[in-house]
Amino acid sequence: MRYLMTFSYDGTNYNGYQKQPNKNTVQDQIEGALLKIFSKEISIHASGRTDAKVHALNQKAHFDLEKEIDLYKLKKSINSLINDDIYIKEIEKVNDDFHARFNVVEKTYIYKLNVGSYDPINRNYIYQYNKELDIESIKKAIKYLIGTHNFKSFTKTDIEKDDYIRTIYSIDLLKEDNLLTFTFKGNGFLRYMVRNIVGTLIQVGENKLKSDDILHIIESEDRKEAGKTANPEGLYLKDVKYNN
Amino acid sequence: MRYLMTFSYDGTNYNGYQKQPNKNTVQDQIEGALLKIFSKEISIHASGRTDAKVHALNQKAHFDLEKEIDLYKLKKSINSLINDDIYIKEIEKVNDDFHARFNVVEKTYIYKLNVGSYDPINRNYIYQYNKELDIESIKKAIKYLIGTHNFKSFTKTDIEKDDYIRTIYSIDLLKEDNLLTFTFKGNGFLRYMVRNIVGTLIQVGENKLKSDDILHIIESEDRKEAGKTANPEGLYLKDVKYNN
């Protein structure tokens, strides 16, 4: 029996989602609870990793159990065993061939950035950039990123990886008072891709890059051409969509 | 020379604003920075205390220095010495007879409450009530609280205190999705008063109390008649106003 869980977490106190030796991760927390409940190791398979300090509003992971179980009770049990900075929102039964990573058709990330003065209350939840940015130039630059491109300039190059082509469906930028919220929708995102795009858009907003420099950065397929990786605390995995 | 500082803080990791033996407080942080800068003890006098885990958006405190000083540099120095969950927003010169507590004419508090499902990301910033409430009944109950009353039922009784009369100018209740935000304005608030009022309004919203029971609770001058003290993490000192 295969099940899919939807969960949210505050990434502040974790070394990211994915299990690593001697690190405190979100996956460790949830698998630790499953081990206590079922007295055996049960692996969960997420839609993808999130980095240290990155948050999730609706992360998804599948796992297998030998038999049918009361899903409401299981959800309650897991939530009572994990830290209060992670919350299992829902568990549902899925087909045996469903895969939380391979079946993704769309992911949504949001990135929050404060262009006003330093806000200690949101220091772990909104990137404290704390300077003004040229929003119009950023909006122009965004247009060059939409569509299907080789995003090698915006990720960590990996010898074993040869597919850097992804499709970005949309990037919306909303300004409410001093809060900028970028919403990215795409068929998938490479490692650090959202944060590297935001870091590059910040340079556009600082007028250190021109809006159409984005074109050349994409074409270069060279990480050194793009901007710095924006801080992790502003990033949230918002939604993961699957084909029905 | 007397100075007034405006500062914000995330109260999560503090035993409240006010200095206490062997406790970690916001006042300790700021006075510790002043001690390092001036190599002598300088006391700060705030508009009032806030309890453990309660936040402030614009707390105010005055302090005295022997001579004129570059206030921009002082602000930067203090901010570089205190934890990143406290931030000095502004320091200004005031009259020698100004007092940050005695001269208050209006205080604004906000209280945030989540009536939707548990949100781990805001667990320290919005009270996770996580059930629905009857908003219309709460709005009716609020009307009985506005004005000048003896609020003894809503505070911790203290043998040395005999003045429980305060004036509440307004209580606004805003519902945006699952977030309730109460905004309280008054000439002053007794210890735990906002949290005890919110706790009582929650009982009204649960239909355990009727809206007009508030009248009898006020008249009783008896803490036991009012509701539980609502959790601290939803409370923010928003503004402090002085006569010009």
Side-chain angles (χ1 to χ4, degrees):
Chain A
M1 311 282 173
R2 185 154 287 185
Y3 297 92
L4 178 66
M5 57 167 70
T6 303
F7 52 108
S8 54
Y9 48 86
D10 174 346
T12 308
N13 299 316
Y14 295 96
N15 297 105
Y17 167 77
Q18 190 166 284
K19 203 152 64 172
Q20 296 167 70
N22 307 314
K23 299 276 186 180
N24 180 30
T25 69
V26 176
Q27 187 178 5
D28 287 319
Q29 276 285 316
I30 298 174
E31 290 184 351
L34 292 171
L35 177 62
K36 276 184 199 149
I37 295 166
F38 295 103
S39 304
K40 61 174 278 194
E41 282 191 20
I42 292 165
S43 297
I44 64 170
H45 305 271
S47 72
R49 63 173 94 181
T50 55
D51 295 311
K53 299 183 190 301
V54 171
H55 314 293
L57 301 174
N58 293 288
Q59 171 66 289
K60 305 267 185 179
H62 78 255
F63 60 98
D64 294 328
L65 295 178
E66 277 160 22
K67 48 186 182 183
E68 292 256 8
I69 186 166
D70 181 329
L71 295 178
Y72 178 74
K73 272 192 195 161
L74 178 59
K75 175 189 138 169
K76 279 194 76 167
S77 303
I78 300 172
N79 281 327
S80 72
L81 291 166
I82 57 182
N83 290 339
D84 66 358
D85 50 9
I86 307 175
Y87 181 66
I88 311 298
K89 298 168 85 166
E90 202 191 349
I91 305 176
E92 59 197 306
K93 204 169 175 309
V94 288
N95 286 338
D96 290 355
D97 61 351
F98 176 90
H99 196 287
R101 182 151 66 97
F102 302 142
N103 292 15
V104 171
V105 295
E106 185 181 294
K107 274 191 170 183
T108 305
Y109 279 94
I110 61 176
Y111 194 94
K112 295 186 186 181
L113 185 153
N114 175 17
V115 294
S117 60
Y118 180 73
D119 172 5
I121 292 169
N122 282 301
R123 72 197 180 286
N124 296 321
Y125 306 98
I126 300 174
Y127 170 40
Q128 299 298 314
Y129 177 73
N130 305 134
K131 288 182 289 279
E132 287 190 32
L133 285 170
D134 176 349
I135 307 294
E136 289 315 306
S137 295
I138 294 177
K139 285 192 172 170
K140 277 182 209 153
I142 279 174
K143 292 184 187 147
Y144 297 104
L145 292 157
I146 310 295
T148 304
H149 302 287
N150 182 321
F151 285 100
K152 194 170 173 185
S153 304
F154 296 96
T155 188
K156 197 180 166 186
T157 315
D158 186 328
I159 312 160
E160 290 171 39
K161 196 171 186 77
D162 59 1
D163 172 23
Y164 297 101
I165 293 176
R166 293 292 182 277
T167 301
I168 297 184
Y169 302 131
S170 62
I171 305 176
D172 289 323
L173 173 53
L174 189 71
K175 186 172 191 294
E176 299 161 292
D177 297 321
N178 290 318
L179 176 66
L180 296 191
T181 305
F182 295 86
T183 303
F184 292 82
K185 283 183 191 286
N187 66 351
F189 293 88
L190 301 162
R191 189 131 201 233
Y192 301 126
M193 181 169 147
V194 176
R195 290 165 59 192
N196 289 342
I197 289 176
V198 171
T200 308
L201 292 175
I202 286 172
Q203 294 206 338
V204 172
E206 289 168 341
N207 296 311
K208 287 178 186 164
L209 287 175
K210 294 194 304 294
S211 300
D212 60 7
D213 284 338
I214 297 290
L215 261 178
H216 314 300
I217 294 169
I218 294 173
E219 280 166 9
S220 72
E221 299 183 17
D222 181 358
R223 173 69 188 90
K224 290 191 290 292
E225 295 295 313
K228 279 194 295 189
T229 307
N231 282 24
E233 65 272 15
L235 185 62
Y236 297 70
L237 171 58
K238 191 182 177 198
D239 279 311
V240 183
K241 250 200 205 161
Y242 298 103
N243 256 333
N244 284 342
Chain B
M1 310 282 172
R2 186 155 286 186
Y3 296 93
L4 178 67
M5 56 166 72
T6 303
F7 52 109
S8 53
Y9 48 87
D10 175 344
T12 307
N13 299 317
Y14 295 97
N15 297 106
Y17 166 77
Q18 190 166 285
K19 203 153 64 173
Q20 297 166 69
N22 306 313
K23 299 275 185 180
N24 179 30
T25 69
V26 176
Q27 188 179 3
D28 287 320
Q29 276 286 316
I30 298 173
E31 290 184 351
L34 292 172
L35 176 63
K36 276 184 199 149
I37 295 166
F38 295 103
S39 304
K40 61 174 279 193
E41 282 191 19
I42 291 164
S43 297
I44 64 171
H45 305 270
S47 72
R49 61 173 96 180
T50 55
D51 296 310
K53 297 182 189 301
V54 171
H55 316 293
L57 302 174
N58 293 289
Q59 171 66 289
K60 305 266 185 180
H62 78 255
F63 60 98
D64 295 328
L65 295 178
E66 277 159 23
K67 48 187 181 183
E68 292 257 6
I69 186 167
D70 181 327
L71 296 178
Y72 178 75
K73 272 193 197 161
L74 177 59
K75 175 189 138 169
K76 279 194 76 167
S77 302
I78 301 172
N79 280 328
S80 72
L81 291 166
I82 56 183
N83 290 340
D84 66 359
D85 50 10
I86 306 175
Y87 181 65
I88 311 297
K89 298 169 86 165
E90 201 192 348
I91 304 177
E92 59 196 306
K93 204 169 173 313
V94 288
N95 286 338
D96 290 356
D97 61 351
F98 176 90
H99 196 288
R101 182 152 65 96
F102 303 142
N103 292 16
V104 172
V105 294
E106 186 182 293
K107 274 191 169 184
T108 306
Y109 280 93
I110 60 176
Y111 194 95
K112 296 186 185 181
L113 185 154
N114 174 17
V115 294
S117 59
Y118 180 74
D119 172 4
I121 293 169
N122 282 301
R123 71 197 181 287
N124 297 321
Y125 306 99
I126 299 173
Y127 170 40
Q128 300 298 314
Y129 177 73
N130 306 135
K131 288 182 288 281
E132 287 190 32
L133 284 170
D134 175 349
I135 307 293
E136 289 315 306
S137 294
I138 294 178
K139 285 191 172 170
K140 276 181 210 154
I142 279 173
K143 291 184 189 148
Y144 297 104
L145 291 157
I146 311 295
T148 303
H149 301 286
N150 182 323
F151 286 101
K152 195 170 173 184
S153 304
F154 296 97
T155 189
K156 197 180 165 185
T157 315
D158 185 330
I159 311 162
E160 290 170 40
K161 198 173 183 78
D162 59 1
D163 172 23
Y164 297 100
I165 294 178
R166 292 291 182 277
T167 301
I168 297 184
Y169 302 131
S170 61
I171 306 175
D172 289 324
L173 174 53
L174 189 71
K175 186 173 190 293
E176 299 162 292
D177 298 321
N178 290 319
L179 175 66
L180 296 191
T181 305
F182 294 86
T183 303
F184 292 82
K185 284 184 191 286
N187 67 350
F189 293 89
L190 301 162
R191 190 132 201 232
Y192 300 125
M193 181 169 147
V194 176
R195 290 165 59 194
N196 289 342
I197 288 176
V198 171
T200 307
L201 292 175
I202 287 172
Q203 293 206 338
V204 172
E206 289 168 340
N207 295 313
K208 287 179 187 163
L209 285 175
K210 295 194 303 295
S211 300
D212 60 7
D213 284 338
I214 297 291
L215 260 179
H216 313 300
I217 293 169
I218 294 174
E219 280 166 10
S220 73
E221 298 183 18
D222 181 357
R223 174 70 189 88
K224 289 190 291 290
E225 294 296 313
K228 278 195 295 190
T229 307
N231 282 24
E233 64 272 16
L235 185 63
Y236 297 70
L237 171 59
K238 192 183 177 200
D239 279 311
V240 183
K241 250 202 209 159
Y242 297 103
N243 256 334
N244 284 341

